[in-house]
Amino acid sequence: MENMSAEEQNAYISGVVEGLAFARWLADERDETGMQCIWNWYLHSDQRARFNAQMDWFEKHPEQQVSTLMYALIREECGEQGSRR
């Protein structure tokens, strides 16, 4: 991430979120509730504030993969798969 431009970072994170949303949809047996929660959290928040918070989170945990950290943030917001939040 540190060698990417802000635009590249955003595209990479968007891809991770898309993968996690799709995985959630599959895990929830094609119920869209969890997937929609993920997309709503990611797309319908203050984009700049969310991006800056994510970058801070990544910097605090450099030993972790972006996908692992994003999963933790998403789980906090949208619960576990199968929870039907």
Side-chain angles (χ1 to χ4, degrees):
M1 292 283 293
E2 63 191 39
N3 296 326
M4 295 179 185
S5 69
E7 185 176 299
E8 291 168 329
Q9 289 173 345
N10 193 41
Y12 178 71
I13 293 168
S14 293
V16 169
V17 171
E18 182 172 355
L20 291 169
F22 184 71
R24 176 67 179 264
W25 178 71
L26 289 174
D28 286 347
E29 299 175 0
R30 300 178 189 232
D31 180 313
E32 294 185 9
T33 306
M35 180 181 69
Q36 289 301 322
C37 179
I38 292 168
W39 280 119
N40 287 336
W41 167 77
Y42 186 70
L43 295 174
H44 299 292
S45 60
D46 179 340
Q47 298 285 310
R48 178 164 291 185
R50 184 187 35 74
F51 181 78
N52 290 337
Q54 289 167 353
M55 291 297 109
D56 290 344
W57 180 246
F58 300 155
E59 288 176 16
K60 289 179 184 175
H61 303 281
E63 72 287 352
Q64 296 293 325
Q65 295 292 320
V66 169
S67 56
T68 302
L69 295 171
M70 289 302 293
Y71 174 75
L73 292 173
I74 288 168
R75 185 182 63 211
E76 184 177 307
E77 182 68 25
C78 297
E80 295 282 347
Q81 66 188 25
S83 65
R84 308 274 196 260
R85 272 183 101 184

